[in-house]
Amino acid sequence: MDRLTISPEPRPIGTSSLRVFPVAYGCWRFAGTSVAAAREKIESALEVGIQLFDHADVYGGGAAETLFGQVLREAPHLRSRMLIATKCGVVPGIPYNATRAHILRSAEESLRRLNCDVIDLFFVHRPDVLTHPEETARALDELRQAGKVREVGVSNYTPSQCAALQRFLPFPLVAHQREWSCVWPAVFTDGTVEQCYTARLSLIAWSPLAGGKLLLPLERAAQDKNASVLVPTIQKLEALAHSQGVDRAAVALAFLLAHPVNAIPIIGTQRVDRIRRVLLAFRVEFDRAGWYALFQAGRGKQLP
Ligand SMILES: NC(=O)c1ccc[n+]([C@@H]2O[C@H](COP(=O)([O-])OP(=O)(O)OC[C@H]3O[C@@H](n4cnc5c(N)ncnc54)[C@H](OP(=O)(O)O)[C@@H]3O)[C@@H](O)[C@H]2O)c1
């Protein structure tokens, strides 16, 4: 049969020994609540099986990491159930800095805010074209040698930028973090998916629900600047969700999870009920025709 597999089995992170539940939880929108509310979100994510929590030094200007660290101070036993990812290199107003000095300082500050000893997965957030990759690599290697980061990945790099950094690293990069959703298929046209296959990098997909746009009511989607793609995609998601007794978010996540690149989408909801509904994604059934129909809707034109 041509049914695609959507398994909740843990997925490896690159060639590392790390394996995680196939969906991660993102902390971009995490700051600004009480410690109790933050703890409830973290615990809900852990309860559904989520292990990887994605941060960046700039989320909430550092407040997301600080709040997360406050939860870990209050409930240190949670740390052993999770893997923490964070990122460095975006500096509002500059906008990027991947120099050795900046990376070393950023990692130290993230560790302090997160209230932990090691960052499990450390990303360079965006390519800094003004820094030689050899310098960036030196900083990442020093952090790894010092036991401050376990594994390293890149975020929003092109495949050739990723290959250039890898050329100067004495260990393999393990992850590519890129925007990917039904309506944002760039990873298929710029060589990212192929690089993930050949270099055995994990594709960590940010904004898998297009930042919430895939859940808009149709009349609001029709006013979006990307309406010509968004509306037909939402209609397809809705039809599949309706026929399978799940919700649109579940189908949108399942679309990513069913692809053989073995991606790990990072969900960004701040609502505990929506975190719990993540498991619905594993109930979705896709066959080749259904998957390709959604793929074509999201790219805005039929395949030849
Ligand atoms: N590497 C990078 O450059 C980069 C860039 C952006 C993001 N990221 C990472 O990716 C993570 C996820 O990004 P994201 O937050 O854009 O992901 P997302 O899951 O695509 O979007 C989350 C948004 O969708 C809304 N939403 C979720 N389910 C919904 C539903 N059923 N109905 C209506 N609205 C719904 C959420 O609102 P509610 O909170 O109200 O549910 C939230 O505003 C971030 O936290 C961050 O860790 C990385």
Side-chain angles (χ1 to χ4, degrees), residues 243-265:
S243 67
Q244 301 199 19
V246 294
D247 58 23
R248 253 191 251 168
V251 181
L253 285 178
F255 173 78
L256 306 190
L257 293 168
H259 189 274
V261 75
N262 243 1
I264 300 169

Side-chain angles (χ1 to χ4, degrees), residues 257-299:
L257 293 168
H259 189 274
V261 75
N262 243 1
I264 300 169
I266 319 173
I267 57 162
T269 180
Q270 297 305 305
R271 283 182 38 173
V272 166
D273 58 331
R274 290 177 179 163
I275 294 173
R276 296 200 174 113
R277 288 173 74 81
V278 143
L279 291 175
L280 288 179
F282 299 97
R283 295 217 324 241
V284 176
E285 294 187 4
F286 262 116
D287 60 13
R288 266 179 181 274
W291 194 92
Y292 266 116
L294 200 46
F295 182 67
Q296 292 179 99
R299 73 196 281 277

Side-chain angles (χ1 to χ4, degrees), residues 17 23 47 55 82 96 176 178 198 200 206 219 221 230 257 263 265:
S17 60
V23 177
E47 274 158 28
H55 280 273
M82 63 173 65
Y96 307 136
H176 231 317
R178 290 289 310 277
T198 56
R200 300 189 59 199
W206 61 263
E219 29 328 329
L230 194 55
L257 293 168

